[in-house]
Amino acid sequence: MQPRNNRLNPPLLALGLFLIFNAPIVLALVGEIDFGDGVDLSDDNGIYVTVLARYSGRDLAQVQQVYDLCPDKDDLPVILDLAAATGKSPGFILALRGQKVSWWEISVGLEVDANDWFLPVTQTPRPPYAIVYDNWKAAGEGGRTLWLSDDDCRNLAAARFLHRYFQVTVARAMEMRVGGAKLEKVAADEVRRRQGSDRFKARKVADGSSS
């Protein structure tokens, strides 16, 4: 019996690797902001869970379950990002958190690269991001002296989620978080804003989905 030809097509292999390692980004790029009739646009919870499920590539029911069990809803992007980075389930990450362990301790314990928390910036970010980015640089960008508070972890994960899902600049994603607004409301307001935009309405008419 002749051995099977196992040669891989380089372009297809490259595409496959990109899809594997950038699944949340790809989902954000192809995901529709238009939820049709499936989500009540007055329901912040429904919008938040839906966009996080699309962002993470996870089942909607699973993300809803984590939402229901999570005391601080701003922790959801942290949980989903740590799960993606480590291959663990969101439930496993949440269980670690339930043991009164900080997000930073969980991240270090699971050997997540400290630099993965940070998005590249071209200028000094506004608070609450300014200090944490200064500390990151002072520590040698991920050095042993770096330490992140729970709020730091929440803010960094929120910026990553807003940047990647809504395809806005890093600076804009951080601005959306300035002032300490709850991420659930920030995400829901952004979806509602886009649903009502002239650009969105024009696209629906062009697609034949509106009379």
Side-chain angles (χ1 to χ4, degrees), residues 10-23:
L12 290 179
L13 176 61
L15 176 60
L17 291 173
F18 175 82
L19 291 173
I20 290 171
F21 291 108
N22 296 278

Side-chain angles (χ1 to χ4, degrees), residues 1 17 118 126:
M1 180 180 295
L17 291 173
F118 295 84
R126 295 174 59 190

Side-chain angles (χ1 to χ4, degrees), residues 2-15:
Q2 294 294 324
R4 181 178 297 177
N5 186 342
N6 289 321
R7 288 183 300 173
L8 297 175
N9 184 303
L12 290 179
L13 176 61
L15 176 60

Side-chain angles (χ1 to χ4, degrees), residues 132-206:
V132 69
Y133 268 80
D134 285 344
N135 293 341
W136 177 52
K137 292 178 181 178
E141 298 191 357
R144 291 180 178 273
T145 61
L146 181 66
W147 176 85
L148 300 178
S149 69
D150 282 345
D151 281 342
D152 291 336
C153 293
R154 292 186 187 104
N155 287 327
L156 292 169
R160 180 180 302 277
F161 158 60
L162 295 170
H163 165 62
R164 290 186 169 177
Y165 186 81
F166 291 110
Q167 301 171 53
V168 296
T169 65
V170 174
R172 173 57 185 151
M174 291 179 175
E175 286 175 4
M176 292 166 74
R177 184 67 169 169
V178 167
K182 286 296 183 181
L183 186 58
E184 181 171 342
K185 178 169 176 51
V186 171
D189 283 348
E190 180 64 12
V191 168
R192 283 189 286 264
R193 185 186 70 78
R194 296 190 180 202
Q195 289 278 78
S197 70
D198 291 337
R199 179 181 177 185
F200 175 78
K201 291 177 180 177
R203 192 195 67 200
K204 290 190 74 174
V205 171

Side-chain angles (χ1 to χ4, degrees), residues 68-103:
D68 292 339
L69 295 173
C70 189
D72 189 331
K73 309 311 179 187
D74 279 3
D75 283 339
L76 262 73
V78 180
I79 295 169
L80 295 172
D81 282 353
L82 286 175
T86 62
K88 305 295 186 181
S89 70
F92 177 84
I93 303 297
L94 188 58
L96 291 178
R97 179 65 173 175
Q99 297 175 21
K100 307 299 181 182
V101 184
S102 74
W103 284 126

